[in-house]
Amino acid sequence: MCRFMVYKGKNEILLSELILNPTHSILTQSFDSRLRLDRRRPHNGDGFGIGYYTSPSLGPEPCVFTSTIPAWNCINLSRIASKTTSSLIFAHVRATTEGNLSDSNCHPFTYKSLMFMHNGGIGCFKQIKRRLAMSLNEQWFTLVQGSTDSEWAFALFLDCLDKAGHHPDKEPGKGGFGHTVLRKGILKTIERINGFIREVVEAKGVESGTEDCRSLLNFAVTDGESVVCTRYVSSTTDEAASLFFSSGTSWKESKNGHATEARSAEPGQKDYVMERRDKGSNIVLVASEPLTFERDNWVTVPTNSTLTISKQTVMIHPIIDEFYSHNPAHARSSGFAQAKGQTITGPDKKPLEQPENGTDSGSESPVRGADVVNGAIRLLRVT
C-alpha cells in the first residue's frame, strides 16, 4: 500500500518542511510506516513522486518530479525539496500492487492543470481493465502511458469530466474548475468503477473466494485551486485505507517534540506541530498517515466520504451509494484493510488481528471509528 500527502496553504512552504524534515514525514513513512504493516511489501520503496504548482506566470500546469529510486535513497529529492516552495503540493511514495517499476507508473499523474494520485487498488482490475479502457474517449485512452490501475483511474476521471461538459483541455479560468465539478467527477469515477466490477461479476461469475472484487479508492485530485480527496472501500463491512487531515494557522517545529527520543530519527529531522491561533485556517494537510506525534493535530476522514478543500475551508461529504450506511454506529471490520497492508490499532496500541469468524479481536464487538483513530494516533507517539 502506498502513502500520499497533500498540502494546501495560503502561503508557500518549503517542500522539505513537509517531505524531509518532520520525524514522521512521508519520506520516513516510505521505510518506517507505523499504521500499516505488510510483511509481503514492508517498504514503500517502488518509486515516489512530488507535484507542486509554481508561479502563474509559468503556466497553470504543475511541476512534477518522479523517480523509481526509493525516496530515502534519492539525493536529488533532498536537493529539490530544500530549495523549492509552493502553496499546493502533492507527494506520493509507492508500494506497487499493479504495474511494474517505472517512471510512468509513479504518482502523481497530470493533465494540463489537473493532478491526481491514488492509494489503494481497484478490485479485480485485470478482469475489468478492458471494459474500463473501451469506455473511454480516444483522447483519454491514448493518454495512459503506464500500466498501473491508478493511471487508468485518472483517465476515467478525465473522461467523466469530459462527458459532464467540462473538457480538461478548456482553460477553466481563475478559480479552476471548482470544487463541485471535481467532487462530482471523482464520484462518477467511483460509480463507473463499481459498475464495471458489477458487470464482470454478473457476466463471468467472479466469486470473492477466487478473486477479490473489493476496491480501496483513496483518491486525491486538484486543479491547482481546489482539492478533493476520497476515503472509500467498495464494501459495507470493511474499513477503508486510513486518511487523516489537519488544519491550522501555521506549521512549525515543536519545541516540546519527541524527535530527540525517536530511535528512527535521521540527522536534521524534527518534530512539527500544527498551530491554531484563531478560528481560521491558513494551512490544510491531508495524509494517509499523520506527519506529527500530536494527537490533537489530526482528524480522521470517515470511511466512504469525500474531503474537499476550497479556499482553506474543509468540507466532508458522505459518499451515498450501495456501500453507504445511514447508521452512525455502523461497525466495520479491519480484516480486509489489514490484508492489504493497513493495520487498525486498538487502545492498547497493538494491531488488531482478524480471526476466522470475521470479527475483530481485542474487543467484544467490531472496532468502531473513535477507537480506531485514538488507537492509531497513540501508536504514532514515540515511547
Side-chain angles (χ1 to χ4, degrees):
M1 295 293 288
C2 308
R3 304 288 184 281
F4 70 54
M5 182 220 71
V6 175
Y7 169 86
K8 178 72 167 62
K10 284 187 176 179
N11 301 312
E12 294 186 348
I13 191 173
L14 202 62
L15 268 62
S16 59
E17 295 293 302
L18 298 167
I19 297 171
L20 304 179
N21 295 350
T23 305
H24 201 60
S25 67
I26 193 167
L27 183 145
T28 301
Q29 293 173 33
S30 66
F31 62 84
D32 182 24
S33 168
R34 300 191 182 188
L35 288 194
R36 296 180 204 149
L37 302 175
D38 191 344
R39 295 178 182 178
R40 300 163 300 163
R41 294 180 295 275
H43 303 301
N44 297 290
D46 296 327
F48 69 90
I50 53 174
Y52 51 93
Y53 290 84
T54 56
S55 169
S57 62
L58 299 177
E61 297 85 1
C63 177
V64 176
F65 172 59
T66 60
S67 176
T68 56
I69 299 173
W72 66 80
N73 201 35
C74 182
I75 190 171
N76 286 329
L77 175 61
S78 176
R79 290 168 174 167
I80 291 174
S82 62
K83 297 295 182 180
T84 304
T85 61
S86 179
S87 60
L88 178 49
I89 304 165
F90 275 21
H92 187 280
V93 289
R94 185 170 180 246
T96 178
T97 53
E98 291 287 346
N100 55 14
L101 188 62
S102 68
D103 278 305
S104 59
N105 284 334
C106 291
H107 310 221
F109 305 103
T110 65
Y111 184 80
K112 302 293 185 178
S113 65
L114 294 164
M115 187 160 56
F116 177 97
M117 56 186 177
H118 174 211
N119 170 28
I122 297 177
C124 56
F125 176 65
K126 293 178 181 178
Q127 283 72 30
I128 72 164
K129 183 177 179 180
R130 186 172 182 273
R131 291 171 183 259
L132 189 159
M134 296 303 292
S135 74
L136 304 177
N137 287 345
E138 185 176 357
Q139 181 178 2
W140 315 124
F141 176 85
T142 57
L143 181 70
V144 178
Q145 300 297 310
S147 54
T148 178
D149 57 345
S150 302
E151 190 178 9
W152 282 104
F154 180 44
L156 185 63
F157 169 75
L158 295 174
D159 191 70
C160 289
L161 286 186
D162 185 4
K163 290 175 179 174
H166 307 282
H167 199 288
D169 278 337
K170 294 180 180 178
E171 289 292 338
K174 188 176 181 180
F177 289 94
H179 62 86
T180 301
V181 170
L182 295 181
R183 189 168 66 88
K184 288 182 178 179
I186 210 72
L187 290 176
K188 188 64 177 180
T189 302
I190 292 174
E191 179 185 327
R192 287 174 67 178
I193 289 172
N194 288 339
F196 297 138
I197 294 174
R198 193 180 306 111
E199 290 174 6
V200 168
V201 171
E202 293 174 354
K204 299 184 178 181
V206 178
E207 298 180 359
S208 59
T210 58
E211 184 71 32
D212 201 330
C213 292
R214 292 170 291 182
S215 299
L216 290 170
L217 305 178
N218 283 17
F219 293 141
V221 66
T222 181
D223 59 359
E225 296 290 340
S226 302
V227 179
V228 176
C229 302
T230 63
R231 184 184 181 213
Y232 184 86
V233 59
S234 57
S235 168
T236 58
T237 58
D238 297 297
E239 276 289 354
S242 60
L243 192 66
F244 301 85
F245 79 92
S246 179
S247 62
T249 53
S250 61
W251 174 254
K252 291 185 176 181
E253 180 186 348
S254 174
K255 295 181 180 180
N256 300 315
H258 306 274
T260 56
E261 305 172 17
R263 297 179 182 177
S264 62
E266 297 290 331
Q269 285 190 326
K270 306 168 185 178
D271 259 3
Y272 281 72
V273 63
M274 181 71 79
E275 293 185 340
R276 180 178 286 277
R277 297 186 179 276
D278 52 50
K279 293 183 179 180
S281 293
N282 296 330
I283 295 171
V284 180
L285 285 174
V286 184
S288 302
E289 192 164 322
L291 306 184
T292 75
F293 299 124
E294 299 297 326
R295 186 187 311 174
D296 295 339
N297 278 183
W298 297 92
V299 179
T300 188
V301 178
T303 287
N304 287 21
S305 297
T306 61
L307 178 148
T308 303
I309 307 172
S310 176
K311 298 180 180 179
Q312 312 312 119
T313 299
V314 177
M315 297 171 282
I316 305 290
H317 297 91
I319 300 175
I320 301 176
D321 60 9
E322 65 266 37
F323 303 112
Y324 175 74
S325 174
H326 292 275
N327 179 7
H330 179 67
R332 290 177 177 267
S333 166
S334 66
F336 177 55
Q338 184 183 47
K340 296 296 183 180
Q342 173 183 329
T343 53
I344 303 296
T345 59
D348 59 356
K349 304 181 184 179
K350 296 180 180 179
L352 294 173
E353 300 294 338
Q354 183 71 6
E356 296 180 359
N357 60 9
T359 60
D360 294 294
S361 64
S363 62
E364 295 179 358
S365 62
V367 66
R368 281 164 168 73
D371 295 330
V372 171
V373 178
N374 292 335
I377 300 298
R378 277 195 293 271
L379 181 66
L380 283 168
R381 194 172 285 277
V382 177
T383 57

